[in-house]
Amino acid sequence: MHIPMNLDVVRSAVRATGSSLARPDVPPAVAGGVVTIARETGTGAPRIATRVCEILNERHGAGEQPWLAYDKNLVHTVAEEHELAEDVLRKLDEHDQNMLDEIFASITGQMTVHEVAMKTARTMRGLAKHGRAVIVGRGGSVVLAGVPNSLHVRLVAPLEWRIRNWAQANGASLEEARAKVLEMDRDRAEYVRATLNRSSEDPTLYDLIINVAAVTLEHTASMIARAVEELHLEHG
């Protein structure tokens, strides 16, 4: 049986953790805010996060610290900061938590998925402190709730639309896509519940919820970038 990580403990830990990512050559005034993107499977979050950064860098990036998107490369960042195996970290929100604890125990010296999630939370906090980061997944809206200069977004769409979109993006059949989308939705929700004791479907976690089936990828990215600008996050 898993005991959910106490959210106050998580926040206290990440507040106490300085960022090893902060570059000494970047003045504090240059650093901007942080955007977290939670998503239902098949909504194209990685591409949208990348496009948000492109838009913001085009408008505000000249001579300044660039906006960077963290999705799969967040795994590399966590692994590098905490000397963990990337192939194990990639499984964080993709498999059953009991199996994950067994994997982590055998590979990382009795470290549980909750302990690795704590390290991920610390890295997210470091990225937020560094600024100008768009972080996809891993419960970012929970870990960084209340952080100044933050914007929390959730991407949603009807199930059948997401299945078709995932199938097209991954060259899979609709049957294969349906099974994968349902599995990944379930496992990602379980990751947030088991490690952060929150529901990823709670609308109060987000500042902006976008139905990506109703708009294009470009419009979605533009809406997020516009929110960043209107909240003046690009200035820190």
Side-chain angles (χ1 to χ4, degrees), residues 49 53 57 66-70 73 130-135:
C53 291
N57 287 330
W67 282 86
L68 296 175
Y70 293 88
N73 58 341
H130 187 51
R132 296 198 170 204
V134 179
I135 301 173

Side-chain angles (χ1 to χ4, degrees), residues 21 23 26-36 49-50 52-70 73 124-135 144 147-151 228-229 232-236:
L21 299 174
R23 288 165 27 206
V26 177
V30 172
V34 61
V35 177
T36 68
T50 297
V52 169
C53 291
E54 290 173 349
I55 293 171
L56 291 172
N57 287 330
E58 289 166 3
R59 296 176 182 173
H60 309 283
E64 297 181 347
Q65 172 188 327
W67 282 86
L68 296 175
Y70 293 88
N73 58 341
M124 285 185 184
R125 182 73 189 206
L127 292 171
K129 182 178 180 181
H130 187 51
R132 296 198 170 204
V134 179
I135 301 173
L144 300 179
V147 169
N149 300 319
S150 62
L151 173 71
V228 168
E229 292 170 331
H232 304 292
L233 302 189
E234 76 276 10
H235 301 304

Side-chain angles (χ1 to χ4, degrees), residues 83-95:
E83 299 182 349
L84 302 174
E86 284 190 43
D87 58 336
V88 177
L89 281 171
R90 287 194 186 95
K91 297 176 171 38
L92 257 180
D93 61 356
E94 296 177 2
H95 295 308

